[in-house]
Amino acid sequence: AGKNPKRRFRFTANLSKRFEAAAMKRSNHEKLRVAVLVSKAALQFIHGISLHSEYTVPSEVKSAGFQICADELGSIVEGHDVKKLKTHGGVTGIAEKLSTSPTDGLATSEDRLKCRENIYGVNKFTESPLRSFWVFVWEALQDMTLMILAVCAFVSLVVGIATEGWPKGAHDGLGIVASILLVVFVTATSDYRQCLQFKDLDTEKKKITIQVTRDGFRQRISIYELLPGDLVHLAIGDQVPADGLFVSGFSLLINESSLTGESEPVSVNADNPFLLSGTKVQDGSCKMLVTTVGMRTQWGKLMATLSEGGDDETPLQVKLNGVATIIGKIGLFFAVITFAVLAQTLVRQKYGEGLLLSWSADDAMKLLEYFAIAVTIVVVAVPEGLPLAVTLSLAFAMKKMMNDKALVRHLAACETMGSSTTICSDKTGTLTTNHMTVVKACICGNIKEVGSQEEVKSLSRQIPDVATKMLLQSIFNNTGGEVVTNQDGKLNILGTPTETALLEFGLSLGGDFQGVRQETKLVKVEPFNSTEKRMGVVIQLPAGGFRAHTKGASEIILAACSKVLDSAGNVVPLDEATAAHLTSTIESFANESLRTLCLAYLDIDNGFSADEHIPSSGYTCIGIVGIKDPVRPGVKESVAICRSAGITVRMVTGDNINTAKAIARECGILTDDGLAIEGPDFRNKSLEEMMDLIPKLQVMARSSPLDKHTLVKHLRTTLNEVVAVTGDGTNDAPALHEADIGLAMGIAGTEVAKESADVIILDDNFSTIVTVAKWGRSVYINIQKFVQFQLTVNVVALIVNFSSACFTGQAPLTAVQLLWVNMIMDTLGALALATEPPNDELMKRSPVGRTGNFITNVMWRNIFGQALYQFIIIWYLQAEGKHLFQLEGPNSDLTLNTLIFNSFVFRQVFNEISSREMDKINVFRGILENYVFVAVIFCTVIFQIIIVQFLGDFANTTPLTLSQWFSCVLFGFLGMPIAAAIKMIPA
């Protein structure tokens, strides 16, 4: 499609590179399989004999104080070489050779880090160098029509100089050359600027931080600062930042599909300790020792083959490509006919004079001129500005959205978001602040407010010591978080907001985290996951017995309990009355929009091994805590804006249904006629029931990731809605993938979620999502405005040149003039109209949805109305112009053509202003805030004056008098009231 395939989209994906990467993944998969088989065979072989491998440390590594070089480390991890790992003394041996500690991490003195960097490299991937401006100029030159025009210009120069001598004969040719250069440079500049913008976005995308231990303190650093020997903490949803070895951890499952394409997760433990960068943690947590960084890792090598940015074409670009191609074909058809008509008049004339066989250079010049006009008709007809306008508008919106805290990963998302009709939002962290605190607790039957320090003290006086001890043991052992002392000696709580809230509660009860942790030994950890909705650990007591602690969704944990601690701290059976009391407590907490968690324990009598599953019933309930997660400021207003914009907001959460309802009411999501349902009920509905249910569904509580996925799928396919989904956890990835637009949270979101998303909301705020929708709509409408403006010019220029060529035997607009008009409407028009910032009016219309036509009836009405007016004026000037302006003498034709050209350009200038609104009469609103628009209009006018008054020889114009200028501008200005009148006609 199109005349310059290089320039249709600069940022389409490089498919051949993709195949290369896919092949690499396949070979990785093979390599890993073979490596594992080989190392198993080798192990069996050397079990009896211990071989001393002949590894010598290179001298520069030795002198730097390390005992192992980067290549050796790389070969161990990449080859999954267990045998080599053994000869180097296992993970501890390697840590020693890297002069680091498996408990305290690296020592952070500047020069040592520098030295380490020199030997082992940095954790960065080499970036493809930025293409220079001249490359873009070269690409812009490869436009078919420009090439043809360049040939025309060349021939014109040769013939012109031969007949009329230098410099007079060169004017036409030089005029065309100048116009071509202008088009090329403007195009290249806009392409180049965009390329820079994508580069900025890329660097923004790659800002990932990770938790490491250095000098014995846990801290967050950028993944770019990682060095071999670093001790990294990984949890569910993290991306492994470099190649390394497993030091310690629990039930770690790694998804290696990004490297091998193998979707089954791999279990990583002390026997299979190899972690590869770029893979994702699917379950569990661990500490890892970094061994290889940057381009030496498997991922680095894969990235080297994939080092191309770029997206697939956006749906809108595809649509507009179609439009451009059709119009181009029409233009070509007209151009051929125009050329034929003009040429046959010349031949006829020669025939009349009886000179058919003797052709002079002048005649050749004339034919060439006709050919140039035909080519230029094609130039004007093909709206190559369409894809350009899309890319410009999207790039502009992306840049502005960055400032509004939304990072767009895929261009298409910008425009799709504008037509979205429904948003499925997560509750925690999106609608709420994700800053949690325990505000109520029910322990040993006492329900107490625990929002302040005093209230906590009074609670700890009221409950027996046995219960306090059990509670603290449960809180501090059964957690994914950690309490660490930072460099200033202050306590620092790490972990998810829920964990942090509980740990804080434990500390305020007077607990000592390290003390409680050291009394017992952790045997097994089953981290929280969203299908089970619980987390459990098993600890070995000092006396030798085992005890399991569990915590999680209150109704699920309560169902697993058969006993409870009474007010004296004794274990008593859980009878119906107590159970009812606890259930009503959970409900009353939930109705105050608190998240409830239940804590319970179970003594295991007959021993326990780490391979067994943690028991799931027979627990003793310790207590219930209510955690407040306040609603974010501004959410209620944002939901209201969405509602007025015709976008339905639905809340999908893993929380208790009462908590969910309370918060949904607070946000204005749940209305009186809306439905709230629990995931398990939703799952079991038949298709018909679902169809009735979904349109009214506003809250889904206790949902599993699969429920969310099902909901999104039905909304999209059966109800044909355009769905945006927000999510932060790993578990949201399927739904984010399924949705038309996935929005991931920048702060709370895991790497996995961000990978699946199209837009990353950097401040985790629901209001930002509304901003994204607003920008999306703005992009869509800006492009519509531009298309309307451009099609008008196309239609008029085509018909005028075609009809006057047929009737008068000459075209009123010359090649150079048409190129200038093309410049105004393509590149400059795109700049002016595509960068209009959004206004609040946009959020008062209903969304376009999936099926809306891009060129609406309103637009056709405006296009044809305006084209008709412009056409009538040109005809009138051609027929009556000499009479009207009292032109006579040898120059009258030239002056008339200048007048026609000049008024034509001014009509475009005023039509551009009229195109700022498609329906509204007032087109001046906010015009001064849009600097780009004002600048473009200003430049167009200035340049037009220069062309007409001073560049007459090149552009075939002649200077005009003041009164003639005035009438040209007047003809242009008259287009505005007429455009306003056309808007009154109902479409």
Side-chain angles (χ1 to χ4, degrees):
K3 309 169 303 174
N4 183 355
K6 275 260 169 73
R7 217 193 128 233
R8 250 311 154 54
F9 302 104
R10 267 98 333 149
F11 296 99
T12 45
N14 183 340
L15 292 177
S16 62
K17 278 279 174 71
R18 284 198 183 168
F19 288 126
E20 217 172 291
M24 185 148 176
K25 276 190 188 175
R26 280 198 300 277
S27 78
N28 274 344
H29 186 191
E30 277 305 296
K31 263 194 225 155
L32 283 178
R33 257 197 31 225
V34 173
V36 170
L37 294 175
V38 170
S39 59
K40 276 185 185 150
L43 263 182
Q44 288 159 355
F45 175 68
I46 36 170
H47 241 46
I49 347 157
S50 136
L51 294 167
H52 292 292
S53 121
E54 299 301 311
Y55 171 64
T56 47
V57 187
S59 56
E60 70 269 17
V61 176
K62 215 169 197 156
S63 60
F66 304 113
Q67 301 297 310
I68 188 165
C69 70
D71 296 337
E72 179 78 358
L73 280 170
S75 69
I76 293 176
V77 177
E78 203 178 299
H80 284 46
D81 196 332
V82 184
K83 174 180 148 197
K84 238 185 213 172
L85 184 60
K86 277 224 167 110
T87 51
H88 283 292
V91 178
T92 35
I94 291 220
E96 224 162 274
K97 293 186 175 185
L98 278 169
S99 60
T100 176
S101 138
T103 49
D104 294 352
L106 291 181
T108 53
S109 60
E110 270 304 299
D111 45 337
R112 284 305 287 156
L113 290 183
K114 202 85 216 120
C115 168
R116 200 175 277 273
E117 220 168 84
N118 294 337
I119 299 268
Y120 296 108
V122 277
N123 199 24
K124 286 198 171 119
F125 302 134
T126 48
E127 306 212 335
S128 46
L130 196 60
R131 304 191 328 197
S132 78
F133 178 68
W134 298 106
V135 177
F136 288 99
V137 172
W138 175 242
E139 285 194 357
L141 274 169
Q142 310 201 350
D143 192 320
M144 202 56 221
T145 39
L146 286 182
M147 288 180 190
I148 296 174
L149 276 175
V151 173
C152 281
F154 176 70
V155 177
S156 163
L157 276 174
V158 174
V159 177
I161 294 172
T163 52
E164 296 177 50
W166 176 268
K168 203 165 178 287
H171 286 154
D172 276 2
L174 288 178
I176 298 181
V177 170
S179 333
I180 291 176
L181 287 179
L182 187 65
V183 171
V184 164
F185 273 92
V186 173
T187 308
T189 313
S190 82
D191 287 359
Y192 182 63
R193 284 207 31 225
Q194 251 170 285
C195 185
L196 290 179
Q197 252 175 16
F198 283 103
K199 187 108 179 126
D200 291 349
L201 275 176
D202 251 11
T203 38
E204 208 38 63
K205 265 189 223 173
K206 290 182 184 145
K207 284 186 183 163
I208 302 173
T209 57
I210 192 100
Q211 288 205 357
V212 298
T213 297
R214 283 186 172 181
D215 289 332
F217 295 113
R218 245 173 111 157
Q219 46 192 298
R220 287 198 92 80
I221 64 167
S222 155
I223 60 166
Y224 294 139
E225 292 170 17
L226 279 184
L227 292 168
D230 257 321
L231 206 57
V232 177
H233 300 260
L234 297 173
I236 290 194
D238 282 342
Q239 183 168 329
V240 181
D243 286 0
L245 296 164
F246 171 93
V247 179
S248 62
F250 297 98
S251 45
L252 185 66
L253 282 181
I254 299 281
N255 178 347
E256 293 190 348
S257 61
S258 56
L259 274 180
T260 60
E262 179 66 47
S263 54
E264 255 327 281
V266 182
S267 164
V268 173
N269 45 38
D271 305 326
N272 172 30
F274 307 104
L275 290 156
L276 298 173
S277 73
T279 56
K280 316 274 191 311
V281 181
Q282 195 162 319
D283 201 0
S285 58
C286 78
K287 285 202 290 197
M288 131 178 171
L289 175 72
V290 177
T291 57
T292 327
V293 290
M295 293 308 288
R296 286 200 169 96
T297 62
Q298 266 284 229
W299 185 244
K301 291 171 189 168
L302 185 67
M303 287 309 277
T305 51
L306 257 183
S307 62
E308 35 99 28
D311 284 326
D312 299 336
E313 299 181 3
T314 76
L316 194 52
Q317 283 176 325
V318 175
K319 253 187 209 167
L320 289 182
N321 250 344
V323 175
T325 314
I326 291 169
I327 297 176
K329 283 180 181 155
I330 297 172
L332 192 62
F333 172 71
F334 275 109
V336 171
I337 293 184
T338 309
F339 181 66
V341 170
L342 290 170
Q344 68 96 33
T345 47
L346 179 70
V347 173
R348 241 221 217 101
Q349 186 188 339
K350 302 278 294 183
Y351 182 69
E353 295 166 10
L355 299 169
L356 241 187
L357 298 174
S358 61
W359 288 73
S360 66
D362 273 0
D363 298 335
M365 245 348 233
K366 267 224 168 69
L367 263 182
L368 191 70
E369 202 176 293
Y370 293 158
F371 184 62
I373 288 171
V375 173
T376 329
I377 287 183
V378 179
V379 174
V380 175
V382 175
E384 71 269 29
L386 291 183
L388 172 75
V390 179
T391 332
L392 261 177
S393 191
L394 291 174
F396 173 73
M398 282 167 92
K399 192 164 174 87
K400 288 280 186 254
M401 278 154 87
M402 257 326 289
N403 306 341
D404 288 341
K405 297 277 180 265
L407 169 66
V408 182
R409 286 177 54 109
H410 301 130
L411 263 184
C414 245
E415 88 205 17
T416 325
M417 191 66 204
S419 46
S420 61
T421 53
T422 177
I423 297 176
C424 296
S425 173
D426 226 17
K427 175 180 78 70
T428 314
T430 312
L431 298 168
T432 57
T433 57
N434 214 1
H435 191 86
M436 305 198 192
T437 42
V438 177
V439 291
K440 274 192 154 182
C442 165
I443 295 165
C444 303
N446 294 334
I447 300 177
K448 290 291 286 184
E449 299 272 345
V450 289
S452 69
Q453 202 52 52
E454 281 64 52
E455 290 169 335
V456 178
K457 287 221 173 71
S458 84
L459 172 76
S460 62
R461 281 198 294 276
Q462 281 179 352
I463 55 176
D465 291 347
V466 189
T468 313
K469 194 172 174 215
M470 189 62 80
L471 179 65
L472 289 175
Q473 192 181 55
S474 175
I475 290 177
F476 288 151
N477 281 303
N478 185 18
T479 177
E482 209 174 329
V483 180
V484 295
T485 324
N486 61 10
Q487 277 101 325
D488 320 330
K490 288 206 179 76
L491 282 184
N492 195 359
I493 306 178
L494 302 166
T496 62
T498 320
E499 299 280 14
T500 315
L502 274 174
L503 289 173
E504 216 164 337
F505 176 57
L507 292 174
S508 62
L509 278 170
D512 163 22
F513 181 80
Q514 295 302 343
V516 173
R517 283 297 280 258
Q518 276 149 18
E519 284 169 13
T520 57
K521 178 170 169 273
L522 269 183
V523 182
K524 184 174 175 76
V525 179
E526 282 183 6
F528 179 85
N529 71 32
S530 41
T531 31
E532 306 266 321
K533 303 223 180 298
R534 59 154 83 189
M535 162 178 190
V537 296
V538 175
I539 54 176
Q540 189 170 4
L541 302 173
F546 291 92
R547 177 177 293 157
H549 280 286
T550 186
K551 69 160 188 254
S554 312
E555 52 270 42
I556 294 178
I557 301 293
L558 201 55
C561 288
S562 55
K563 307 189 201 53
V564 64
L565 292 179
D566 69 359
S567 51
N570 303 319
V571 178
V572 294
L574 181 61
D575 54 20
E576 274 177 26
T578 326
H581 169 68
L582 287 172
T583 311
S584 72
T585 306
I586 293 173
E587 275 186 19
S588 74
F589 279 14
N591 289 336
E592 293 172 39
S593 69
L594 301 181
R595 300 186 66 165
T596 57
L597 282 181
C598 181
L599 305 166
Y601 77 96
L602 164 70
D603 283 316
I604 302 173
D605 305 325
N606 43 9
F608 181 83
S609 84
D611 311 333
E612 297 174 50
H613 272 299
I614 298 179
S616 58
S617 60
Y619 283 86
T620 306
C621 174
I622 306 172
I624 291 161
V625 291
I627 299 177
K628 177 108 185 120
D629 184 7
V631 171
R632 276 181 185 274
V635 165
K636 196 169 182 170
E637 292 78 2
S638 302
V639 172
I641 292 174
C642 283
R643 189 152 279 151
S644 69
I647 302 172
T648 325
V649 182
R650 294 180 166 83
M651 177 163 115
V652 183
T653 174
D655 257 349
N656 173 315
I657 190 155
N658 296 330
T659 313
K661 275 180 174 169
I663 288 193
R665 279 207 187 88
E666 207 176 320
C667 298
I669 291 176
L670 187 59
T671 52
D672 299 336
D673 53 356
L675 276 180
I677 188 171
E678 290 198 333
D681 303 344
F682 177 73
R683 243 167 286 172
N684 302 328
K685 298 270 187 245
S686 70
L687 198 61
E688 284 73 43
E689 288 176 308
M690 272 198 190
M691 289 308 103
D692 297 340
L693 212 158
I694 291 178
K696 299 198 286 280
L697 181 75
Q698 288 172 336
V699 175
M700 180 145 85
R702 282 278 170 256
S703 74
S704 74
L706 216 67
D707 298 331
K708 195 169 182 175
H709 184 251
T710 311
L711 174 67
V712 172
K713 199 169 76 202
H714 282 310
L715 279 170
R716 278 194 62 196
T717 50
T718 357
L719 297 168
N720 221 359
E721 305 235 14
V722 179
V723 189
V725 170
T726 74
D728 54 7
T730 319
N731 50 352
D732 295 326
L736 288 173
H737 254 315
E738 176 65 37
D740 294 282
I741 294 163
L743 305 154
M745 298 298 132
I747 304 168
T750 57
E751 281 315 306
V752 180
K754 288 182 196 172
E755 290 278 313
S756 313
D758 303 297
V759 179
I760 298 173
I761 306 291
L762 297 174
D763 57 357
D764 288 18
N765 194 341
F766 187 78
S767 317
T768 309
I769 297 173
V770 179
T771 318
V772 175
K774 193 154 92 181
W775 271 106
R777 287 186 174 197
S778 154
V779 165
Y780 195 81
I781 288 197
N782 285 349
I783 296 169
Q784 279 186 321
K785 288 177 195 166
F786 171 69
V787 168
Q788 175 189 309
F789 167 67
Q790 190 173 24
L791 289 182
T792 311
V793 192
N794 274 346
V795 171
V796 177
L798 253 182
I799 296 179
V800 168
N801 260 10
F802 174 66
S803 56
S804 64
C806 291
F807 297 120
T808 63
Q810 57 150 348
L813 299 174
T814 65
V816 173
Q817 291 171 356
L818 279 174
L819 275 174
W820 167 234
V821 169
N822 190 44
M823 176 84 187
I824 296 176
M825 58 176 211
D826 262 1
T827 315
L828 293 175
L831 260 177
L833 289 168
T835 52
E836 184 79 28
N839 55 21
D840 294 335
E841 291 291 304
L842 287 177
M843 295 307 275
K844 297 200 174 101
R845 320 178 170 197
S846 52
V848 188
R850 203 181 284 284
T851 47
N853 270 339
F854 182 71
I855 302 185
T856 57
N857 295 347
V858 175
M859 288 163 71
W860 283 124
R861 174 196 73 193
N862 294 351
I863 290 170
F864 285 126
Q866 185 69 21
L868 188 68
Y869 158 71
Q870 296 203 11
F871 195 55
I872 290 170
I873 294 276
I874 289 190
W875 262 121
Y876 178 67
L877 283 177
Q878 268 197 321
E880 299 292 327
K882 289 189 185 175
H883 185 67
L884 183 70
F885 289 105
Q886 281 119 24
L887 303 173
E888 51 235 0
N891 255 358
S892 60
D893 277 351
L894 184 58
T895 314
L896 182 62
N897 277 351
T898 305
L899 279 166
I900 291 177
F901 166 59
N902 202 18
S903 64
F904 183 73
V905 169
F906 276 101
R907 278 197 302 280
Q908 304 327 320
V909 170
F910 285 106
N911 185 27
E912 196 159 347
I913 300 174
S914 299
S915 296
R916 286 188 73 232
E917 289 287 356
M918 282 190 258
D919 278 333
K920 295 201 182 58
I921 304 294
N922 175 11
V923 290
F924 291 109
R925 209 186 79 189
I927 193 166
L928 294 173
E929 271 118 66
N930 189 352
Y931 306 122
V932 183
F933 189 87
V934 179
V936 166
I937 297 281
F938 183 71
C939 292
T940 310
V941 173
I942 296 288
F943 210 82
Q944 179 64 17
I945 294 172
I946 295 173
I947 286 182
V948 173
Q949 297 299 85
F950 307 109
L951 297 178
D953 292 344
F954 297 101
N956 290 21
T957 56
T958 177
L960 300 175
T961 64
L962 262 179
S963 64
Q964 287 168 338
W965 269 101
F966 179 73
S967 39
C968 286
V969 176
L970 182 71
F971 280 133
F973 179 74
L974 276 178
M976 288 189 69
I978 287 178
I982 294 168
K983 286 177 189 170
M984 306 298 254
I985 307 169

